[in-house]
Each structure stands twice: as C-alpha cells, then as structure tokens.
Amino acid sequence: MKILYASKTPLAGVCELMCRIVNEYTEHEARVLNRGPGKHAWYCRPPEKLVPRYNIRDADQARTCLAWADVIHCMANVGARNISGGISLLRKKVWVFQWHGAQIWPFEQVWKPADYRHVRWIHIGQGWIERQMEFFGPFIEDFGMEVIPNLITANDELHVPLDDEKRSTHVVFAPSTVNPNAPNPKGVEEVKRACKAYGLTLDVVFRKSFEECMMRKQRAMVGVDEVITGMYHRSGLEFLSQGVPCFTALNEFGETALKKATGADWVPFEKTTPKELGRDMRALLHDGDLRRGQGRKARQWIETYYAPQVLIERHLEVYKR
C-alpha cells in the first residue's frame, strides 16, 4: 500500500511523524506532501529515505504524489478540494481526513457535502468532539467517524527516559500557545502562579525546535500537559514516554477518548486542577520513590498501549476497510 500524508501547514510535524512510522515499522510505503515540518525537522533526520518529502505548493509534485498514492491521508487543513488535481481522484483513491482539534474555519475549503460519503473520517479525540457535537455528530452517525490515536515515535532517543540523576528541573511545561484566548488555551499563567506559590522551578518551553523542547522535557522531574480544558495532548504523551509524571486536568471525555483509542483500561496521567496543581506537584517532588515509580508506570503504559509499531495498525485498518 502506498500512503500519502498531506497538509498545508507543518501541524507539529505530524505528516513527517506518520510517514516515518509507516516506513520504519510496516511493509507499506509512505510519502509526505506539505510545506515542510517547521520546528519538527527532527522527524526528517537520517535515514532520509524514511521521510520522502514533496512540496504541496508545486502543482506537478502534488499531481505526481496523488497519482502514486493508493491512500491520501489529509490532515486538518487539506482535502480533495484544495490539493491540485485532487477532486478528479475523489472516487478513484482511498481518501482519509483527520481532525486534530476543533473545527473553527469554513469546512467547505476542503470538502463539500457531496464529498462526504467518499471519505473515511477520523479524529484524534482528546475531548474535542464532545465540545462540538453539533458539527461532529453527523460525521459519527452518518459517515462512521472514528477516534484514532495521535502517534508519537516512542522508541527514538528523544522519547526515552533519562536516568534520574540527569533530571535537573522541577517542572517543565511546553505549551503550543501562550494566548489565553486561543481555541485550546493552555493556562500558562495558572501554571506559573502554581509554581511560584510553592517555590518550584519552572521551565516554560515555547517557540523552540522540537529537538530542544524534547531534551528539556527529558530533564524534568514532573511535567505539565495543561490543566484548563480537561483534555490531554501530544505534549503530555511525550512526557509519559520519557518516564516523566505528567499533570493534567483530564476529564471523563478526554480519558474515555484515550482509553478507546488505545484499548487501555487506565491512564497514567497525574490528575489535578489549577487550584491544586502546585500542592500536588510539590507533594510528588518531595517523595522521590513515588515520583520515580510513577515515571516507570508512565513509560510502561506507553510501551504497552502506545507503541508506534502497534498503534499504526489502527490507521492501517481505516485505510483497508
């Protein structure tokens, strides 16, 4: 099977990440069609053959990739309507569309209602769907939308745990936005206040390369995903992979989505609230044995339920069904 991962923006390197996993762990072949990985160039490291890349702004390259592919997996902001040559292939190829969060812009830019029955719909879940059931409900009921895990390359050197003596920072927080009015706010000020109130050293990582971000997260004693929306994010999964106990305000919708996406019957996040965050982090930091034990449990959970070579099969099932 030949799989094309397409997007119009970097999207935290998700196309490159998925392409690398397919080419490294499966018998299938994948390519990327986008504008580059942005800050996530780490996914394009040698061997480069794992992430062959093409430019979506080049109409000839786009048409060549579409002709090559058996499956066109569109990420968040691209579809048959805005890829050069895409609409003519709508009924000739397998098309997949994946949401990575809320739907906040005119969907007609990428798909028209007449296209819907020709597309396989998936979402990373995390609690987003329940906030917009008026929009997502018909995709679930009429077109079989599924929740599919947002993968991480859990086996690479940036995702594995460091020895405890190499951990040098109390708390690391790597928000994707510092804007409190964003569709997915991260509660940066709340985390800062919690750390200040309890005398904890905080490292806020923002607008850095993926490699630097992950290296700083590896050195954390505890991490914060975010404690505002009740959802989990890829940042939190990365902490868990690194054996770093990670705090969230995960609600029942986010937890249910994660369990459903992985088949797990429990999740290893450290649940808290903005009000209790500082107290809870300090308590874990003061009990080294408990903190190390929670870190080991987090990594074991990733190895059991979030191994990329296992979860990629969920995507392949969508492509084949």
Side-chain angles (χ1 to χ4, degrees), residues 2 4-6 31 33 54 56 59-74 78-90 92-95:
K2 297 175 181 177
L4 180 66
Y5 292 102
R31 291 181 180 179
L33 180 68
Y54 298 83
I56 197 169
D60 290 337
Q61 289 190 33
R63 292 191 188 97
T64 297
C65 285
L66 292 182
W68 167 86
D70 300 311
V71 176
I72 299 118
H73 185 141
C74 301
V78 69
R81 295 282 173 178
N82 65 346
I83 299 180
S84 183
I87 197 64
S88 65
L89 297 174
L90 183 58
K92 299 176 182 178
K93 304 279 185 173
V94 173
W95 289 82

Side-chain angles (χ1 to χ4, degrees), residues 1-5 19 22 26 28-32 68-73 316 319:
M1 189 186 313
K2 297 175 181 177
I3 306 162
L4 180 66
Y5 292 102
C19 181
V22 167
T26 80
H28 306 289
E29 186 178 354
R31 291 181 180 179
V32 170
W68 167 86
D70 300 311
V71 176
I72 299 118
H73 185 141
L316 295 176
Y319 304 157

Side-chain angles (χ1 to χ4, degrees), residues 274-287:
K275 183 177 179 179
E276 297 169 332
L277 174 62
R279 182 201 66 189
D280 292 346
M281 289 192 299
R282 186 178 67 174
L284 193 58
L285 286 165
H286 280 191
D287 189 336

Side-chain angles (χ1 to χ4, degrees), residues 10 12-13 37-43 158 172-178 203-217 219 234 238:
K39 295 180 176 65
H40 290 72
W42 169 255
Y43 294 128
L158 291 182
V172 175
F173 182 34
S176 58
T177 179
V178 296
D203 180 16
V204 178
V205 187
F206 182 62
R207 288 185 175 172
K208 302 298 181 182
S209 71
F210 177 69
E211 186 172 3
E212 178 180 345
C213 176
M214 292 296 288
M215 291 173 68
R216 286 162 67 173
K217 290 171 74 171
R219 295 195 293 268
R234 203 169 87 187
E238 290 163 352

